[in-house]
Amino acid sequence: MTSTLPCNPEELRSLFLFEHLSDEQLDRLCASGRIDSVGPGPVYAEGDPATCFYVLLEGTVVTSRRVGTDDVEVNRTSMRGVYAGAFQAYLGDRVPQLYTNSLRVTEPSRFFVLSADEFAGIVREWFPMAVHLLEGLFFGNQTFQQVVSQRERLLALGSLSAGLTHELNNPAAAALRATSALRERVAGMRSKLKVLAGGPYRQSDLDTLIQVQERAVERIAKAQELSPLETSDQEDAVADWLDEHGIRGGWDLAPVFVQAGLDQEWLEQVAAAVDPELLESAVRWLNYTVETELLMNEIEDSTTRVSGLVNAARQYSQLDRAPFQVVDIHELLDSTLQMLAGKIGPGVQVVREFDHTLPRIPAYPGELNQVWTNLIDNAVSAMEGSGTLTVRTSRDHGRLVVDFLDTGPGVPAEIRQRIFEPFFTTKPVGQGTGLGLDISWRIVVNKHHGDLDVASEPGSTRFRVRLPLTADSPDTEEAAS
């Protein structure tokens, strides 16, 4: 319940906000405004038209922001002279004149209240220079933030492009080398086939060689990967077997056979299947076959890797997707980790602890990928190229949780409350804009109605993203404007 009381200029003078005003100015304020006595309860709600400027004279106020379906308390104070409401009215219609938070009182309280129009007129009349400075600060900061935000996105894109180029170059170069080697082996096989066809071999001998070749191909497909020590021992054994059977160059042939999973026991089966005079030709024919199969496997692996990287880039950029859709959060995390593999480097171990029972959620996938990029980039930078990055998903009280944990030095307690502020950065000049975490916070909190927080101590830092499992409709607010 609200009631209006008389305004006392001397009471206004006792507030830090008005203590330097003249008697005439205080009289003007009392004539233009009013004193409202408000019982416990709401004063105004976030998002409503900002019609009044409030200054606390007596009582306790609580300000809060809407996060998803919850009201999160931002501040609680009984300090006289604190103000809230339409304090940006002097900017006029150049900015939306809406309450940016909700205000309520927990006990009977009194406010000095000015209408937004009166407040704007008085500020412009009494403090014209200050208004120009504040306008310059507000709009200049807004423009600067937009420019730097775009620049940061371009820098991130450039870094990702460089990493993707590096990642694509490795399998592409491997496929090129394998193709060149395969051409040589096929040429050798044609020459060897000519020798076999023109030699004194019976049709049954040739049939046996073809059968041995087919069994070798089947064996290659089932070959198990050996440890370096096991590989060395097997190569020694195969080379000794080849030497014992009078086959020259056994040390050159043995590594190929071992890589294909062909050991001395299998070679004994080959020796038993062909006549002794055909053994060396059969072994060398098998060597061509094995090398050809291995090279084709290498080409297949390389092209599969290229295709996977292209799919990851498409998934990461979301170029062919609607901006708001139901997504698998693990696909987004995997694509981002794959895109950042070059930047993460070999010194950082990436551990995935995914709860694959989690449902798909409604989200803006392209912007969530930007959040993952910022958090992973910060973690990698903190670890300086060596440590463990753990990405974990779970469910907590009806929300999907994504944790990013690193083993870096941690975030000092004295700056922990500031890391989500725009332009705040601990990186050297030129290495950070201070907008990565601010953009991430606005994407998660403002656009997805989720939550983003940090817990840190030396050797363990955790950034936690909480996202709602359901959404009524996409939020039209721009998260990174």
Side-chain angles (χ1 to χ4, degrees):
M1 181 176 180
T2 302
S3 60
T4 302
L5 304 174
C7 178
N8 183 353
E10 291 305 316
E11 185 176 26
L12 296 186
R13 191 190 302 275
S14 67
L15 304 176
F16 68 86
L17 196 61
F18 304 131
E19 60 186 354
H20 295 298
L21 296 183
S22 66
D23 292 341
E24 291 77 9
Q25 288 174 321
L26 290 172
D27 290 339
R28 167 81 178 276
L29 285 178
C30 272
S32 302
R34 66 181 189 271
I35 304 296
D36 279 354
S37 178
V38 182
V43 178
Y44 62 74
E46 179 182 350
D48 288 347
T51 59
C52 292
F53 173 72
Y54 293 85
V55 181
L56 181 65
L57 296 174
E58 179 184 19
T60 301
V61 297
V62 176
T63 56
S64 60
R65 291 289 306 272
R66 173 69 66 171
V67 179
T69 58
D70 302 322
D71 283 320
V72 178
E73 182 174 319
V74 176
N75 190 31
R76 180 186 294 256
T77 182
S78 299
M79 181 178 179
R80 298 179 69 248
V82 296
Y83 56 89
F87 54 84
Q88 290 184 340
Y90 61 87
L91 295 173
D93 58 7
R94 287 174 291 177
V95 298
Q97 292 297 330
L98 303 172
Y99 290 123
T100 57
N101 54 30
S102 295
L103 182 72
R104 62 185 175 89
V105 295
T106 60
E107 59 180 337
S109 304
R110 291 188 304 119
F111 293 94
F112 171 68
V113 184
L114 271 176
S115 71
D117 291 339
E118 288 285 351
F119 172 71
I122 288 175
V123 170
R124 293 195 190 102
E125 179 183 340
W126 290 355
F127 313 107
M129 183 177 178
V131 169
H132 288 304
L133 292 174
L134 289 171
E135 287 177 340
L137 177 64
F138 180 85
F139 292 110
N141 184 65
Q142 190 178 63
T143 301
F144 181 65
Q145 185 169 340
Q146 290 175 346
V147 171
V148 175
S149 176
Q150 292 172 354
R151 175 64 176 169
E152 180 157 296
R153 291 186 181 188
L154 287 174
L155 289 174
L157 180 60
S159 177
L160 287 171
S161 298
L164 180 61
T165 301
H166 174 76
E167 290 294 314
L168 285 171
N169 182 66
N170 290 335
L176 186 62
R177 290 193 302 269
T179 301
S180 177
L182 180 61
R183 184 176 289 109
E184 295 179 4
R185 299 305 182 274
V186 171
M189 287 188 71
R190 288 198 299 266
S191 175
K192 194 67 177 177
L193 183 61
K194 180 180 179 181
V195 171
L196 289 173
Y201 301 109
R202 296 167 297 179
Q203 180 65 42
S204 59
D205 294 333
L206 295 177
D207 291 342
T208 300
L209 285 177
I210 296 299
Q211 292 173 6
V212 170
Q213 182 185 44
E214 291 176 350
R215 291 201 300 272
V217 171
E218 293 175 359
R219 186 74 173 253
I220 293 170
K222 301 175 182 178
Q224 295 182 349
E225 187 173 353
L226 303 177
S227 68
L229 183 60
E230 291 172 333
T231 299
S232 178
D233 291 343
Q234 285 280 43
E235 288 178 0
D236 289 342
V238 171
D240 291 342
W241 187 94
L242 294 172
D243 289 341
E244 291 170 2
H245 289 77
I247 299 173
R248 293 164 293 129
W251 286 107
D252 292 330
L253 301 177
V256 176
F257 285 134
V258 171
Q259 184 181 356
L262 307 180
D263 54 19
Q264 68 272 26
E265 294 180 3
W266 191 86
L267 290 172
E268 287 287 355
Q269 296 176 19
V270 174
V274 300
D275 293 336
E277 63 271 15
L278 290 180
L279 180 58
E280 182 166 0
S281 295
V283 168
R284 295 193 180 280
W285 173 257
L286 284 175
N287 182 67
Y288 280 121
T289 299
V290 169
E291 284 190 311
T292 300
E293 284 296 318
L294 292 176
L295 288 169
M296 286 191 294
N297 287 344
E298 185 176 349
I299 293 171
E300 182 181 18
D301 290 342
S302 298
T303 53
T304 299
R305 172 67 175 159
V306 170
S307 178
L309 287 167
V310 171
N311 287 335
R314 186 172 65 246
Q315 172 72 25
Y316 178 85
S317 64
Q318 297 292 317
L319 290 177
D320 59 347
R321 308 288 184 90
F324 185 83
Q325 58 181 298
V326 178
V327 298
D328 183 343
I329 212 73
H330 301 112
E331 291 180 359
L332 304 184
L333 290 167
D334 280 332
S335 67
T336 303
L337 287 168
Q338 195 167 4
M339 290 291 293
L340 293 174
K343 189 167 188 178
I344 292 174
V348 175
Q349 179 186 7
V350 178
V351 178
R352 293 172 170 85
E353 297 180 0
F354 291 169
D355 179 1
H356 289 286
T357 65
L358 292 171
R360 296 164 68 89
I361 65 170
Y364 295 86
E367 298 197 24
L368 283 184
N369 281 339
Q370 186 179 0
V371 174
W372 312 150
T373 299
N374 291 337
L375 297 180
I376 292 171
D377 180 67
N378 283 349
V380 172
S381 297
M383 291 186 287
E384 297 183 342
S386 178
T388 301
L389 169 65
T390 302
V391 183
R392 178 185 301 146
T393 61
S394 59
R395 186 196 301 256
D396 179 44
H397 295 93
R399 291 198 169 195
L400 186 148
V401 177
V402 184
D403 288 327
F404 296 85
L405 303 98
D406 69 72
T407 55
V411 182
E414 59 269 20
I415 67 171
R416 206 168 295 156
Q417 299 301 319
R418 299 191 58 198
I419 60 175
F420 295 110
E421 294 179 7
F423 307 112
F424 179 80
T425 179
T426 58
K427 295 179 182 178
V429 175
Q431 294 187 20
T433 62
L435 285 178
L437 289 177
D438 170 59
I439 291 172
S440 299
W441 191 90
R442 285 186 283 126
I443 289 174
V444 172
V445 176
N446 292 351
K447 198 151 192 178
H448 287 86
H449 305 302
D451 187 30
L452 172 60
D453 61 38
V454 60
S456 183
E457 60 184 30
S460 177
T461 298
R462 183 210 69 205
F463 280 87
R464 170 165 289 179
V465 177
R466 292 184 181 88
L467 298 169
L469 294 174
T470 60
D472 295 333
S473 61
D475 194 331
T476 57
E477 179 186 355
E478 289 298 327
S481 60

